[in-house]
Amino acid sequence: MNRSEPPLLSVRNMITSFHTHDGIVNAVNGVDFDIFPGETLGLVGESGCGKSVTAMSVLRLLNPSTATTLGEVIFKGKNLLDMTPEKMRMIRGSEISMIFQEPMTSLNPILTVGEQIAESLRLHEKLDQEKAWEKTVQMLKLVQIPSPEIRAGQYPHKLSGGMRQRAMIAMALCCNPCLVFADEPTTALDVTIQAQIIRLLDHLKKGSNMSVILITHDLGVIARMAARVVVMYAGKVVEEAPVVPLFHDPKHPYTRGLLNSIPVLKNDGQTRLTEIPGIVPNLLHMPRGCSFHPRCSRVMDICTKKSPPMVHFMENRRAACWLVSDE
Ligand code: SF4
């Protein structure tokens, strides 16, 4: 990671609203973060906290007839939110790409895996048919798919879940993007394959200056791959810290709750975990004050009345909690 260079991507006060039958819902509500060249940034939180909507908003993948994104998303000095749909299409897949959770929903079932990767190479890298196919096979080899020449000619349903995820990674990386969003890249896979995919992503990342935004609810994956972590709750950033201080000394009770819910194997051979009580609030009926207060074990009177400000402390940490403000 190179923090002496300007950030590769800066998200500033991003708000994404969905127009629903019951009213307007801010799924992302004033989110700020930076990612630097070569860095892996973890975006964590439970399902429904706004992590995936944040990624989809940055990539402008939400349907504009149902969702509106405001704020600034500065990538290489330009605001992505001001770009034409055509320009954005060219950036997606070449400079910024995304690895989705379930490859079957993003791979086209009626094209072979190889045809899909080669098409991307022809479009973005302007390679001819032969060169695009050569590079496709190379990419499948790079992501450790056995017999890549044969697999390139197969349809997605012929591949196992783990192999489809590898093909998806090959497709996301084939045009050498400088920024990759990986949205729960291992959730749909069994534990052994999950570990293989994480090892693979880690390995591919090490050989390049690519930045990765890793979206997950799995803090084990974050501990292995990320350098810095942004924690989201109810559409907002509630804490940000480098990975080691965050794991050793989380400041926000929500972060602490997430860390306590990692399963721990005890001496008696039993697995223990403590879940955060309650559920993520309905965005149409947000609690007053701190949105985490109905679930927080440290709740105080002020928490139910006023939303806590974001407090910056130490060199590169921040948290939005009245306890941090008091400190
Ligand atoms: Fe808990 Fe209050 Fe901090 Fe919210 S502001 S996380 S309710 S202590």
Side-chain angles (χ1 to χ4, degrees):
M1 178 192 59
N2 192 346
R3 290 196 86 157
S4 58
E5 289 179 39
L8 179 65
L9 178 88
S10 289
V11 175
R12 290 289 172 268
N13 195 23
M14 190 171 76
I15 300 172
T16 298
S17 317
F18 287 94
H19 316 274
T20 72
H21 288 303
D22 299 317
I24 291 180
V25 164
N26 286 344
V28 171
N29 198 355
V31 162
D32 293 309
F33 64 87
D34 291 327
I35 179 161
F36 291 84
E39 184 180 30
T40 299
L41 177 73
L43 207 52
V44 303
E46 296 159 289
S47 300
C49 282
K51 311 178 301 277
S52 297
V53 179
T54 297
M56 302 282 273
S57 304
V58 169
L59 284 160
R60 305 242 322 257
L61 285 170
L62 297 169
N63 183 343
S65 64
T66 54
T68 310
T69 301
L70 301 172
E72 285 188 333
V73 177
I74 308 296
F75 175 68
K76 294 187 172 176
K78 297 216 169 82
N79 189 355
L80 296 182
L81 300 183
D82 290 341
M83 284 189 181
T84 61
E86 292 70 35
K87 181 82 184 129
M88 203 53 222
R89 252 196 302 278
M90 289 314 288
I91 288 181
R92 273 197 307 264
S94 59
E95 294 188 85
I96 310 180
S97 64
M98 185 147 177
I99 300 164
F100 293 92
Q101 181 181 141
E102 181 31 85
M104 265 324 244
T105 54
S106 34
L107 289 171
N108 187 338
I110 58 166
L111 290 176
T112 66
V113 168
E115 278 166 342
Q116 296 181 58
I117 299 172
E119 191 181 305
S120 186
L121 286 162
R122 279 197 299 272
L123 180 72
H124 296 291
E125 301 281 289
K126 311 285 177 239
L127 296 186
D128 64 30
Q129 198 113 349
E130 198 182 333
K131 288 263 167 356
W133 193 258
E134 257 173 42
K135 176 128 194 228
T136 295
V137 174
Q138 265 174 29
M139 287 305 298
L140 292 177
K141 198 168 173 186
L142 184 73
V143 297
Q144 297 158 12
I145 289 189
S147 315
E149 297 83 358
I150 297 169
R151 294 298 185 182
Q154 292 182 331
Y155 292 93
H157 72 270
K158 288 280 183 193
L159 272 57
S160 67
M163 242 190 265
R164 276 200 293 267
Q165 193 56 296
R166 284 167 195 269
M168 185 78 225
I169 294 171
M171 191 145 85
L173 304 190
C174 68
C175 299
N176 300 316
C178 48
L179 177 61
V180 174
F181 284 85
D183 188 1
E184 303 277 8
T186 60
T187 304
L189 305 170
D190 74 45
V191 181
T192 325
I193 310 293
Q194 277 185 16
Q196 288 174 10
I197 296 289
I198 291 302
R199 266 202 300 276
L200 172 68
L201 275 172
D202 213 13
H203 169 74
L204 295 172
K205 167 82 188 42
K206 278 193 182 115
S208 74
N209 195 35
M210 181 173 81
S211 306
V212 176
I213 297 185
L214 182 62
I215 299 166
T216 181
H217 63 277
D218 185 338
L219 285 157
V221 173
I222 291 289
R224 278 214 47 186
M225 284 194 68
R228 203 156 49 89
V229 188
V230 168
V231 183
M232 284 187 72
Y233 186 73
K236 290 186 174 179
V237 173
V238 294
E239 183 159 9
E240 178 182 341
V243 71
V244 174
L246 186 101
F247 274 68
H248 285 162
D249 183 22
K251 296 292 185 193
H252 198 286
Y254 179 59
T255 312
R256 218 168 285 148
L258 288 177
L259 289 165
N260 287 342
S261 51
I262 299 176
V264 179
L265 190 64
K266 297 282 178 185
N267 292 341
D268 58 6
Q270 301 283 312
T271 309
R272 301 269 154 70
L273 57 89
T274 317
E275 283 189 2
I276 306 172
I279 51 167
V280 175
N282 178 338
L283 295 173
L284 276 167
H285 307 287
M286 290 287 280
R288 204 170 151 220
C290 170
S291 53
F292 187 59
H293 88 252
R295 307 175 71 188
C296 182
S297 58
R298 310 273 312 268
V299 61
M300 301 170 285
D301 195 36
I302 190 173
C303 311
T304 62
K305 297 189 175 90
K306 281 178 79 181
S307 185
M310 180 61 80
V311 177
H312 293 253
F313 56 99
M314 293 176 185
E315 207 186 314
N316 42 17
R317 296 192 63 171
R318 58 177 174 146
C321 170
W322 287 114
L323 295 169
V324 177
S325 298
D326 284 353
E327 276 177 30

